[in-house]
Amino acid sequence: MNQQKQNGNLIAIITMFFLFAMISFVTNLAAPFGTIWKNQYAGANTLGMMGNMMNFLAYLFMGIPAGNMLVKIGYKKTALIAMAVGFLGLFTQYLSSLVGADVDVFNMGAYAIKLNFIIYLLGAFICGFCVCMLNTVVNPMLNLLGGGGNKGNQLIQAGGALNSLSGTLTPLFVGVLIGTVTPETAMSDVTPLLFIAMGVFVLSFIAISFVAIPEPHLHKGNVKEEKFSHSPWSFRHTVLGVFGIFVYVGIEIGIPGTLNFYLADSSAKGAGILFNGAAIGGAIAAIYWLLMLVGRLTSTVISGKVSTRTQLITVSGVAILFILCAIFLPKSVGINVPKVVYDPIAKTSEILTEAGVSETEIAAIIADPSEANLQKHEASLTAANLKVSDIEGSLETPKVPMSALFLVLCGLCTSIMWGGIFNLAVEGLGKYTAQASGIFMMMVVGGGIFPLLQQVISDSVGYMASYWLIIAMLAYLLFYGLIGCRNINKDIPVD
């Protein structure tokens, strides 16, 4: 009987891990997709981040209902409904590539907002309902299957590792599909990824239909709903933890999201990478998520011995140092992009081939890329709508500012914050844990509000200056780890 229970728990844990990956997959489509819309609206960072905002805004509306769904219909049915909603959201985003590009809906300042952008935002909002429901399922379930405490945190961090792996691959794939972002780049350029995503949701729905998942909070039959004398709001460490989740998700999304915009921006305001900025930005952002994977795997190993509180305090302090280095390092200090990310010769050949330049002329240009030789081919280049400076730029190996690398390193720090805050905030809640989970999901809206606020700041004073907001948010998490996470309400009965 015990063996049967262990096997059932193992299957449930694997299922929760898979759902964790799906959360990241859907969420991390928003920022790279945002580079497309940003350039269609003349480089408006705020509009580019609106898809991400809509994705997270859904949490505000769905957090409490998702928690109630766990109680009324259980983990499995909630997950299945989430899959169906996710498919609908992705399909709606796909529709934005088909209709509405020529239809003005209203004006926002200097920008005429098109119907296709509205459709895209609607799709992002629907996807937000999906990931909110999935988040509501996986976090308390993994904490429960791990038995709470450090072991519960260990399982959450392990699931988070798969979440990070999915987050690593998503911006990388989108960046490769987009390449160099121009005002002509459209959602139709990333439809293959949307089709893949919809297919994954269909397969996930089928697979989860056959998996048995424990339902500890499911009310069956005519069982009268228990009336509690208190609520999660009665616990100071939970209230402060709720705000900690609100702040943390803004940090996690804001760091790579703004970095992606910064690297994809070829102007003097951005990183100044002239070619394949979106692909390079996607690759760098992917490293951030990869480091989150490394951090979560490390936390999984050490969580049995190193307390959650110690981990949260350490990573909050280190992240503040990394952000300070990124802010104060001048943009001129950088490193060359590896050839695996950008090969100047291959890219130049591709540009010239697509422009209809003959192989002989391409070979001559590659063999002698001097300005004098390029001038000889000026007529051919002009006929292909290219300038000599375009070819000179494509032949140069782009430099990524060193500040970007410090921002990427923050992935090691943010990796364990979600599990750590959640674990500390629900410690000692007992029967109030399920109720608290819905509240936490509402606060994930911070992942939409704070990155959008960061883009408003970056539009006004620059990308790097906007990271002062991130420092302020990290300072709060440091306070929570040092003082705020202590349960001072142990007199409240939780059995």
Side-chain angles (χ1 to χ4, degrees), residues 101-179:
D102 301 320
V103 181
D104 293 346
V105 179
F106 61 88
N107 291 327
M108 181 181 288
Y111 306 107
I113 305 301
K114 306 288 186 180
L115 178 61
N116 63 341
F117 185 53
I118 302 297
I119 295 172
Y120 164 73
L121 293 181
L122 176 62
F125 188 62
I126 295 171
C127 281
F129 285 121
C130 162
V131 290
C132 178
M133 286 185 277
L134 291 180
N135 256 316
T136 308
V137 169
V138 298
N139 286 283
M141 192 70 199
L142 285 175
N143 199 49
L144 176 76
L145 291 169
N150 286 348
K151 291 293 183 182
N153 182 44
Q154 199 168 20
L155 271 187
I156 292 175
Q157 298 298 355
L162 284 179
N163 180 276
S164 298
L165 178 60
S166 176
T168 300
L169 297 175
T170 305
L172 188 62
F173 287 155
V174 177
V176 169
L177 285 172
I178 297 174

Side-chain angles (χ1 to χ4, degrees), residues 35-43 116 178 180-187 189 266:
T35 62
I36 296 175
W37 297 105
K38 166 190 162 184
N39 278 273
Q40 288 194 1
Y41 288 98
N116 63 341
I178 297 174
T180 302
V181 182
T182 69
E184 285 70 44
T185 306
M187 284 294 290
D189 295 316
S266 59

Side-chain angles (χ1 to χ4, degrees), residues 20-35 51-52 55-56 59 90 93 120 127 131 160 162-175 178 193-194 249 252-257 260 282 285-286 288-290 292 296:
F20 233 140
M22 295 299 297
I23 291 167
S24 182
F25 181 70
V26 175
T27 302
N28 283 286
L29 288 173
F33 281 2
T35 62
N52 180 77
N55 191 287
F56 282 96
Y59 281 85
L90 290 168
Q93 290 186 57
Y120 164 73
C127 281
V131 290
L162 284 179
N163 180 276
S164 298
L165 178 60
S166 176
T168 300
L169 297 175
T170 305
L172 188 62
F173 287 155
V174 177
I178 297 174
L193 191 62
L194 288 172
V249 186
E252 181 192 299
I253 302 300
I255 292 175
N260 209 331
Y288 171 90
W289 296 104
L290 180 62
M292 285 192 73
R296 281 171 172 164

Side-chain angles (χ1 to χ4, degrees), residues 299-444:
S299 180
T300 302
V301 173
I302 68 173
S303 284
K305 297 180 180 178
V306 181
S307 73
T308 304
R309 180 169 175 260
T310 299
Q311 291 183 49
L312 182 60
I313 292 170
T314 302
V315 297
S316 298
V318 172
I320 289 173
L321 293 176
F322 283 153
I323 300 288
L324 285 171
C325 290
I327 290 173
F328 287 110
L329 267 174
K331 185 167 65 174
S332 57
V333 178
I335 60 172
N336 290 336
V337 173
K339 274 194 174 183
V340 68
V341 177
Y342 183 88
D343 186 334
I345 293 177
K347 184 61 183 178
T348 303
S349 299
E350 178 190 331
I351 291 171
L352 293 171
T353 300
E354 289 178 355
V357 179
S358 68
E359 289 186 15
T360 304
E361 287 188 309
I362 292 174
I365 291 170
I366 298 298
D368 181 13
S370 64
E371 186 175 352
N373 190 48
L374 286 171
Q375 291 290 349
K376 295 177 184 176
H377 299 279
E378 187 173 6
S380 299
L381 296 175
T382 302
N385 294 318
L386 291 169
K387 299 189 290 288
V388 169
S389 60
D390 292 333
I391 305 306
E392 288 176 334
S394 68
L395 283 167
E396 290 179 5
T397 299
K399 276 194 172 185
V400 173
M402 188 67 73
S403 56
L405 301 186
F406 279 104
L407 294 175
V408 162
L409 285 172
C410 288
L412 289 169
C413 303
T414 56
S415 61
I416 69 169
M417 289 178 178
W418 170 275
I421 297 167
F422 184 89
N423 183 256
L424 290 170
V426 301
E427 193 65 29
L429 283 191
K431 62 185 178 183
Y432 299 105
T433 301
Q435 217 177 343
S437 181
I439 297 171
F440 283 123
M441 289 310 105
M442 284 181 65
M443 291 301 100
V444 174

